[in-house]
Amino acid sequence: MANSIKRIRTLALVGQAGSGKTSLAEALLTHAGAVPAAGSVERGTTVCDYTPLEKQLQHSLKLAVASFETKPEAEPTRIHLLDSPGYPDFLGHALPALAAVETAAIVINAQNGIEMMTGRFMQWAQKRGLDRIIIVSKIDADNVDLEGLLERIQQAFGKECLPLNLPAAGRSKVSDCFFAPSGDADFSSVEEAHRKLIDQVVEVDEKLMEKYLEKGEVTPEELHEPLERALREGHLVPVLFTSAKTGAGIAELLEVIVELLPNPTEGNAPVYTSIPAGGGEAKELTPIPDPGKHALAHVFKIEIDPYIGRIAVFRVHQGRLTSNMQLYIGEGRKPIKPGHLYMLRGKTQTEVHEAIPGDICAIAKIDDIQFDHILHDSAEDAHVHARPLELPTAVFGLAVMPKKRGDEQKVSDVLHKIMAEDPCFRLEHNAQANEMVMRGLGEIHLKTVLEKMSSQYKIELDTRPPSIPFRETIAAKAEGHSRHKKQTGGAGQFGEVFLRVEPLPRGKGFEFVDAVKGGAIPNQFIPSVEKGVRNVLEHGFVAGYPLQDVRVTVYDGKSHPVDSKDVAFMSAGRKAFLDALGKARPVVLEPIVNVEIVAPDEKMGDIAGELSGHRGHIKGSDAPRPGLVQISAQAPLSELEHFPARLKSLTAGHGSYSLEFSHYEPAPPQLQQKLVAAHKPQLEAE
Ligand SMILES: Nc1nc2c(ncn2[C@@H]2O[C@H](COP(=O)(O)OP(=O)(O)OP(=O)(O)O)[C@@H](O)[C@H]2O)c(=O)[nH]1
Ligand SMILES: [Mg+2]
C-alpha cells in the first residue's frame, strides 16, 4: 500500500454533462487493474454511476469517489479520483469536489467542443487555486476536428493550454510530446509541441531559462520543479487527448497523473479560517500536510445509503486519522470514535486503519457529521472552518404535498435526508400559504428529487408552482378609531383606541409607537393594543398578504376602572387599525428579483424580448468569454414562472440563469385588482 504522502494524487473530473467523465474514470480504473473489465454508462455497470436512478437516467447525479492504486506494486501511487455530475442542477454535488483535490481535470467532449460548463469549471478551479488539466475525450467519435478544437481551447483559455500528447495513427493512439517525444501526430508535430511545452515551463525559472537558451536542452529531472510551479501558478494547463471507448490516451493520462500532477505537499495549500471562541476577527490558517501534526479533515460529501445509513466522506488536510482515535466534529465538544475508516471505490468500501494528508476516506453511521464539517482531534481547532464553497443559491421552487394523506411526516423526513446530501437543496415552510416548498437550482434538480422520492422511498408527491410572496402596504397617512364595549350580563368589557398610520420607507418593516398621554390608555393595556394591531399585520387588509412598511402610532383612548380588560383593548386596537387602513390607500407589493443569465451571444435579442414581454428590464450585459453573453436584469418574480422553460427552448439548453431577491414594488393596477378579487371569495366564505 502507498504510505507516503508523495505517492498520493487527488483529482476531480469536472465538465459538461455527457462529456465522458464517468467513462474516463472507468477506463482509468480498468487500465490500473482496479476493475477486471470496463463497465458502461449505457448498461448501468460503471463503478461511479452506482445508484439506481443514475443507471436509469445514464447521467451522474452525485459525486462519486474512486480510490485505487497503480501498479507496480513496489512503488504504487494511490489515486483518489472524484467523478462529478455535469448538469448545472447538480452543482451542489460537483463544486464540493474542488475543495478536496489538488487538481481539477476539465473534460471537453471532442464532438461538442467547449460548452457552458467548461468555462465555468475552468474559472472555479482557477479561483480556488487548483492545478488544472484539460482532457479532450471521445477522440474516436465521428466528425471531430481536434486541431480546430485545440485552437479554440487556446483562444478561450489562453496560450498556456498546451498539448502533452497529440492524436496519432488516425486517432487510434496518442504520441507523447513531453517525457519521450517521438513519433508522428495527426496534426501539428510532436517536436513543435515539445518545444512549446519547454518554452512555457522554463519561463517560471530564470536560471533554467538561461541554461535552455544557451544549450538548447534541459533534462526531464530539471523540469520537474518548474513544471509543478507552472501548474500551480496556472502558467501551464496541459491538454491531453483520450478515448474511453478505444483506450487511446488512457495509459498516457495515468502516467501524467502519476508522474506530473502534484502530490498533497505540492499543490496550492487550501486556506481555512479560524474564528476565535467568543467571536473576534477570523484568522487565516493553512493546514500543513504532515501526518505528525494535529488532525484536520474536511467533510465534502454526505451520502445517505438506504442500507448503511449516513456516510461522511472527507479529505485529510493535516495529521493522521485512525479508526480508534478520538475525533471532534466541528465545534462539538463530545468526541466520537470512528470505529471503522473506509476507502471508497464507487459503492464498494474497503476498510483501512489510517488516513494521511491527501487521503479521501469515509466514516459510516455517525449522524452528527454534516456536510462542510471539520473533523479534528484538538480542542484548539474547534473553530476552524474550511474556505466557503460559494455555492449557487437555490431559487427554483415547487410547492409539494403528499398524494397520500398521513404521509406528511415521512415526506418531511425524506426531504431532510436529501437536504443533508445536497447543499443546494432547501426546504421551506410557507406558513402563510400553508405549503411546503422545495427549492433547488433548476427544473431537472427538483424532478430528480421527485424521482428519487418515488423510486427509492416509494413516496408520491403532487406539485404546483409555489405561491408568490406578495406583501401589502399603505400609500397615505390616515387615522383610525374604535370603541369596544360589551355590557350584556356578567362583567362588562370596555376599551377605546385612537391611532394613526403612516407609510415607512420600503424595507423598514413595522413600527409601533405609544404616544398616549396622561394615562388615557393605562400602561398595562398598551401591549394588548399592540397585539390587536399585529394580528392584522399577518393577514393583511386587501388581499390577505402580510403588511409591511407601516408605522402605527397610538395617541389617545379611553378606559373604564372596572370593565377595561386585555381582550377589550386587543379588539379595539385591531378594529382601529382596520379603520385607518381602509383610508390609507392600501396597495399590494410584489417581489422583484435580480436575474443573471449566461447564454450564447446570438440569443441576446430573443432573451431581451422574452424579459421585456414579462415586465423585466435589462440593466447591463457583459461578455465573460467570446461567444457568450452575461445579462443582468430585473423582473417581477410573478412573471418568471415559465422563464426556465423559455430560456431552455430559446437557447437549446445552452443558457443558464440565477435569481436573487432584490426588493418590493407596488404591483401594477391590473395585478392588484386580480389579487384583491381572488381574496374576496375567501373573506365571504369565512
Ligand atoms: N464514442 C465515444 N463515446 C463515449 C466515450 N466516452 C463516453 N462516451 C459516451 O458518452 C456518453 C456520456 O458519457 P458519460 O461518461 O456518462 O459522461 P459524463 O461526463 O459522466 O456525464 P454526466 O455524468 O451527465 O456529467 C455515454 O453514452 C458514453 O458511452 C468515448 O471515448 N467515445
Ligand atoms: Mg457521469
Short mmCIF file of all heavy atoms in Angstrom, two decimals, residues 71-110:
data_model
loop_
_atom_site.label_atom_id
_atom_site.label_comp_id
_atom_site.label_asym_id
_atom_site.label_seq_id
_atom_site.Cartn_x
_atom_site.Cartn_y
_atom_site.Cartn_z
N LYS A 71 -0.11 0.01 -10.45
CA LYS A 71 0.99 -0.91 -10.43
C LYS A 71 2.20 -0.09 -10.85
O LYS A 71 2.01 0.96 -11.46
CB LYS A 71 0.72 -2.06 -11.39
CG LYS A 71 -0.66 -2.66 -11.25
CD LYS A 71 -0.57 -4.09 -10.81
CE LYS A 71 -1.85 -4.76 -10.43
NZ LYS A 71 -3.10 -4.15 -10.27
N PRO A 72 3.44 -0.36 -10.64
CA PRO A 72 3.92 -1.57 -9.99
C PRO A 72 3.69 -1.52 -8.47
O PRO A 72 3.70 -0.45 -7.89
CB PRO A 72 5.42 -1.52 -10.30
CG PRO A 72 5.74 -0.06 -10.39
CD PRO A 72 4.52 0.56 -10.98
N GLU A 73 3.53 -2.71 -7.92
CA GLU A 73 3.26 -2.78 -6.50
C GLU A 73 4.44 -2.35 -5.64
O GLU A 73 4.28 -1.96 -4.49
CB GLU A 73 2.77 -4.17 -6.11
CG GLU A 73 1.25 -4.19 -6.12
CD GLU A 73 0.66 -5.49 -6.60
OE1 GLU A 73 1.35 -6.51 -6.45
OE2 GLU A 73 -0.46 -5.46 -7.13
N ALA A 74 5.67 -2.41 -6.21
CA ALA A 74 6.85 -1.99 -5.44
C ALA A 74 6.74 -0.52 -5.04
O ALA A 74 7.05 -0.16 -3.92
CB ALA A 74 8.10 -2.21 -6.27
N GLU A 75 6.24 0.30 -5.95
CA GLU A 75 6.08 1.71 -5.60
C GLU A 75 4.77 2.23 -6.19
O GLU A 75 4.75 2.99 -7.15
CB GLU A 75 7.26 2.53 -6.13
CG GLU A 75 7.42 3.79 -5.33
CD GLU A 75 8.48 4.71 -5.93
OE1 GLU A 75 8.99 4.43 -7.01
OE2 GLU A 75 8.76 5.71 -5.29
N PRO A 76 3.68 1.77 -5.57
CA PRO A 76 2.38 2.16 -6.14
C PRO A 76 2.04 3.62 -5.80
O PRO A 76 2.56 4.18 -4.84
CB PRO A 76 1.40 1.22 -5.46
CG PRO A 76 2.04 0.84 -4.18
CD PRO A 76 3.52 0.93 -4.37
N THR A 77 1.18 4.19 -6.59
CA THR A 77 0.65 5.53 -6.30
C THR A 77 -0.83 5.37 -6.00
O THR A 77 -1.54 4.65 -6.71
CB THR A 77 0.81 6.45 -7.53
OG1 THR A 77 2.20 6.53 -7.84
CG2 THR A 77 0.28 7.84 -7.25
N ARG A 78 -1.27 6.01 -4.90
CA ARG A 78 -2.70 5.94 -4.57
C ARG A 78 -3.39 7.14 -5.20
O ARG A 78 -3.01 8.29 -4.95
CB ARG A 78 -2.89 5.95 -3.06
CG ARG A 78 -4.34 5.87 -2.67
CD ARG A 78 -4.56 5.24 -1.31
NE ARG A 78 -3.98 5.98 -0.21
CZ ARG A 78 -3.09 5.48 0.65
NH1 ARG A 78 -2.66 4.24 0.53
NH2 ARG A 78 -2.64 6.21 1.64
N ILE A 79 -4.39 6.85 -6.02
CA ILE A 79 -5.11 7.92 -6.71
C ILE A 79 -6.53 8.00 -6.18
O ILE A 79 -7.25 6.99 -6.16
CB ILE A 79 -5.11 7.68 -8.23
CG1 ILE A 79 -3.66 7.65 -8.74
CG2 ILE A 79 -5.91 8.76 -8.97
CD1 ILE A 79 -3.49 7.28 -10.18
N HIS A 80 -6.90 9.18 -5.71
CA HIS A 80 -8.29 9.41 -5.31
C HIS A 80 -8.93 10.22 -6.42
O HIS A 80 -8.61 11.39 -6.62
CB HIS A 80 -8.36 10.19 -4.00
CG HIS A 80 -7.74 9.47 -2.84
ND1 HIS A 80 -8.28 8.35 -2.27
CD2 HIS A 80 -6.60 9.71 -2.15
CE1 HIS A 80 -7.52 7.94 -1.26
NE2 HIS A 80 -6.49 8.75 -1.17
N LEU A 81 -9.81 9.55 -7.16
CA LEU A 81 -10.42 10.16 -8.33
C LEU A 81 -11.87 10.51 -7.98
O LEU A 81 -12.60 9.67 -7.47
CB LEU A 81 -10.39 9.12 -9.46
CG LEU A 81 -10.79 9.53 -10.86
CD1 LEU A 81 -9.84 10.58 -11.40
CD2 LEU A 81 -10.77 8.30 -11.77
N LEU A 82 -12.28 11.75 -8.22
CA LEU A 82 -13.66 12.14 -7.95
C LEU A 82 -14.37 12.35 -9.29
O LEU A 82 -13.90 13.10 -10.12
CB LEU A 82 -13.72 13.43 -7.14
CG LEU A 82 -13.00 13.43 -5.78
CD1 LEU A 82 -13.24 14.73 -5.04
CD2 LEU A 82 -13.49 12.27 -4.93
N ASP A 83 -15.49 11.66 -9.45
CA ASP A 83 -16.27 11.80 -10.69
C ASP A 83 -17.50 12.65 -10.36
O ASP A 83 -18.35 12.23 -9.57
CB ASP A 83 -16.68 10.41 -11.20
CG ASP A 83 -17.65 10.51 -12.38
OD1 ASP A 83 -17.57 11.50 -13.13
OD2 ASP A 83 -18.49 9.59 -12.53
N SER A 84 -17.58 13.84 -10.95
CA SER A 84 -18.67 14.75 -10.58
C SER A 84 -19.75 14.78 -11.66
O SER A 84 -19.48 14.51 -12.82
CB SER A 84 -18.11 16.16 -10.39
OG SER A 84 -17.67 16.66 -11.63
N PRO A 85 -20.98 15.12 -11.26
CA PRO A 85 -22.05 15.24 -12.26
C PRO A 85 -21.89 16.54 -13.04
O PRO A 85 -21.44 17.55 -12.49
CB PRO A 85 -23.32 15.26 -11.42
CG PRO A 85 -22.90 15.72 -10.07
CD PRO A 85 -21.46 15.37 -9.90
N GLY A 86 -22.26 16.55 -14.31
CA GLY A 86 -22.03 17.72 -15.16
C GLY A 86 -23.20 18.68 -15.29
O GLY A 86 -23.01 19.83 -15.67
N TYR A 87 -24.42 18.21 -15.00
CA TYR A 87 -25.57 19.12 -15.11
C TYR A 87 -25.45 20.24 -14.10
O TYR A 87 -25.17 19.98 -12.92
CB TYR A 87 -26.88 18.36 -14.83
CG TYR A 87 -27.50 17.77 -16.07
CD1 TYR A 87 -27.64 16.40 -16.20
CD2 TYR A 87 -27.93 18.60 -17.10
CE1 TYR A 87 -28.19 15.85 -17.34
CE2 TYR A 87 -28.48 18.05 -18.25
CZ TYR A 87 -28.61 16.68 -18.36
OH TYR A 87 -29.16 16.16 -19.49
N PRO A 88 -25.70 21.50 -14.53
CA PRO A 88 -25.60 22.61 -13.58
C PRO A 88 -26.55 22.44 -12.39
O PRO A 88 -26.30 22.95 -11.31
CB PRO A 88 -25.98 23.85 -14.39
CG PRO A 88 -26.37 23.38 -15.74
CD PRO A 88 -26.01 21.95 -15.89
N ASP A 89 -27.61 21.66 -12.58
CA ASP A 89 -28.55 21.43 -11.49
C ASP A 89 -27.92 20.68 -10.32
O ASP A 89 -28.44 20.71 -9.21
CB ASP A 89 -29.75 20.61 -12.00
CG ASP A 89 -30.59 21.39 -12.97
OD1 ASP A 89 -30.06 21.77 -14.02
OD2 ASP A 89 -31.76 21.65 -12.66
N PHE A 90 -26.81 19.98 -10.58
CA PHE A 90 -26.20 19.19 -9.51
C PHE A 90 -24.88 19.81 -9.02
O PHE A 90 -24.01 19.13 -8.50
CB PHE A 90 -26.00 17.74 -9.95
CG PHE A 90 -27.28 17.15 -10.45
CD1 PHE A 90 -27.44 16.78 -11.76
CD2 PHE A 90 -28.36 17.04 -9.59
CE1 PHE A 90 -28.64 16.29 -12.23
CE2 PHE A 90 -29.57 16.55 -10.04
CZ PHE A 90 -29.71 16.17 -11.36
N LEU A 91 -24.77 21.13 -9.17
CA LEU A 91 -23.55 21.80 -8.72
C LEU A 91 -23.32 21.63 -7.22
O LEU A 91 -22.19 21.68 -6.75
CB LEU A 91 -23.61 23.29 -9.05
CG LEU A 91 -23.20 23.63 -10.49
CD1 LEU A 91 -23.40 25.11 -10.76
CD2 LEU A 91 -21.74 23.25 -10.73
N GLY A 92 -24.41 21.43 -6.49
CA GLY A 92 -24.27 21.20 -5.04
C GLY A 92 -23.47 19.94 -4.75
O GLY A 92 -22.92 19.77 -3.67
N HIS A 93 -23.41 19.03 -5.72
CA HIS A 93 -22.61 17.81 -5.57
C HIS A 93 -21.24 17.98 -6.21
O HIS A 93 -20.26 17.41 -5.75
CB HIS A 93 -23.31 16.62 -6.22
CG HIS A 93 -24.57 16.22 -5.51
ND1 HIS A 93 -24.57 15.35 -4.45
CD2 HIS A 93 -25.85 16.58 -5.70
CE1 HIS A 93 -25.80 15.18 -4.02
NE2 HIS A 93 -26.61 15.93 -4.77
N ALA A 94 -21.20 18.75 -7.33
CA ALA A 94 -19.94 18.82 -8.09
C ALA A 94 -18.94 19.80 -7.47
O ALA A 94 -17.76 19.48 -7.33
CB ALA A 94 -20.24 19.23 -9.53
N LEU A 95 -19.40 20.99 -7.08
CA LEU A 95 -18.46 22.00 -6.60
C LEU A 95 -17.68 21.59 -5.35
O LEU A 95 -16.50 21.91 -5.23
CB LEU A 95 -19.18 23.35 -6.38
CG LEU A 95 -19.46 24.14 -7.66
CD1 LEU A 95 -20.31 25.37 -7.35
CD2 LEU A 95 -18.16 24.56 -8.34
N PRO A 96 -18.30 20.87 -4.40
CA PRO A 96 -17.52 20.48 -3.22
C PRO A 96 -16.29 19.64 -3.57
O PRO A 96 -15.33 19.60 -2.80
CB PRO A 96 -18.52 19.67 -2.38
CG PRO A 96 -19.85 20.23 -2.78
CD PRO A 96 -19.73 20.54 -4.24
N ALA A 97 -16.30 18.99 -4.74
CA ALA A 97 -15.13 18.19 -5.13
C ALA A 97 -13.89 19.08 -5.22
O ALA A 97 -12.77 18.64 -4.94
CB ALA A 97 -15.38 17.53 -6.49
N LEU A 98 -14.09 20.35 -5.59
CA LEU A 98 -12.94 21.24 -5.76
C LEU A 98 -12.26 21.56 -4.43
O LEU A 98 -11.12 22.02 -4.40
CB LEU A 98 -13.37 22.55 -6.45
CG LEU A 98 -14.00 22.39 -7.85
CD1 LEU A 98 -14.30 23.76 -8.44
CD2 LEU A 98 -13.07 21.62 -8.78
N ALA A 99 -12.97 21.33 -3.32
CA ALA A 99 -12.37 21.58 -2.01
C ALA A 99 -11.54 20.39 -1.55
O ALA A 99 -10.89 20.45 -0.51
CB ALA A 99 -13.46 21.89 -0.99
N ALA A 100 -11.58 19.29 -2.30
CA ALA A 100 -10.96 18.05 -1.82
C ALA A 100 -9.75 17.62 -2.62
O ALA A 100 -9.15 16.60 -2.32
CB ALA A 100 -12.01 16.94 -1.82
N VAL A 101 -9.39 18.37 -3.65
CA VAL A 101 -8.35 17.88 -4.56
C VAL A 101 -7.26 18.92 -4.82
O VAL A 101 -7.46 20.11 -4.60
CB VAL A 101 -8.96 17.47 -5.93
CG1 VAL A 101 -9.89 16.29 -5.78
CG2 VAL A 101 -9.69 18.64 -6.58
N GLU A 102 -6.11 18.43 -5.34
CA GLU A 102 -5.06 19.34 -5.82
C GLU A 102 -5.31 19.73 -7.27
O GLU A 102 -4.96 20.81 -7.70
CB GLU A 102 -3.69 18.64 -5.74
CG GLU A 102 -2.91 18.93 -4.48
CD GLU A 102 -3.53 18.27 -3.26
OE1 GLU A 102 -3.78 17.05 -3.28
OE2 GLU A 102 -3.77 18.99 -2.28
N THR A 103 -5.90 18.78 -8.04
CA THR A 103 -6.03 19.01 -9.49
C THR A 103 -7.48 18.88 -9.95
O THR A 103 -8.18 17.95 -9.56
CB THR A 103 -5.19 17.97 -10.28
OG1 THR A 103 -3.85 18.03 -9.80
CG2 THR A 103 -5.21 18.26 -11.77
N ALA A 104 -7.89 19.83 -10.80
CA ALA A 104 -9.19 19.71 -11.48
C ALA A 104 -8.90 19.33 -12.92
O ALA A 104 -8.13 20.01 -13.60
CB ALA A 104 -9.94 21.04 -11.43
N ALA A 105 -9.50 18.22 -13.36
CA ALA A 105 -9.37 17.82 -14.77
C ALA A 105 -10.67 18.21 -15.46
O ALA A 105 -11.72 17.65 -15.16
CB ALA A 105 -9.14 16.32 -14.86
N ILE A 106 -10.59 19.21 -16.33
CA ILE A 106 -11.79 19.69 -17.02
C ILE A 106 -11.92 18.88 -18.31
O ILE A 106 -11.03 18.89 -19.16
CB ILE A 106 -11.70 21.20 -17.30
CG1 ILE A 106 -11.65 21.97 -15.97
CG2 ILE A 106 -12.91 21.68 -18.09
CD1 ILE A 106 -10.32 22.41 -15.54
N VAL A 107 -13.04 18.14 -18.41
CA VAL A 107 -13.21 17.22 -19.53
C VAL A 107 -14.01 17.91 -20.64
O VAL A 107 -15.09 18.47 -20.38
CB VAL A 107 -13.92 15.92 -19.07
CG1 VAL A 107 -14.07 14.95 -20.24
CG2 VAL A 107 -13.14 15.27 -17.93
N ILE A 108 -13.47 17.90 -21.86
CA ILE A 108 -14.15 18.50 -23.01
C ILE A 108 -14.44 17.41 -24.04
O ILE A 108 -13.54 16.71 -24.48
CB ILE A 108 -13.28 19.60 -23.67
CG1 ILE A 108 -12.95 20.71 -22.65
CG2 ILE A 108 -13.98 20.17 -24.90
CD1 ILE A 108 -12.10 21.84 -23.22
N ASN A 109 -15.71 17.28 -24.37
CA ASN A 109 -16.16 16.30 -25.35
C ASN A 109 -15.71 16.76 -26.75
O ASN A 109 -16.09 17.84 -27.21
CB ASN A 109 -17.69 16.28 -25.24
CG ASN A 109 -18.36 15.38 -26.23
OD1 ASN A 109 -17.75 14.95 -27.21
ND2 ASN A 109 -19.63 15.11 -25.99
N ALA A 110 -14.88 15.95 -27.43
CA ALA A 110 -14.34 16.35 -28.73
C ALA A 110 -15.44 16.63 -29.74
O ALA A 110 -15.27 17.45 -30.64
CB ALA A 110 -13.42 15.25 -29.26
#
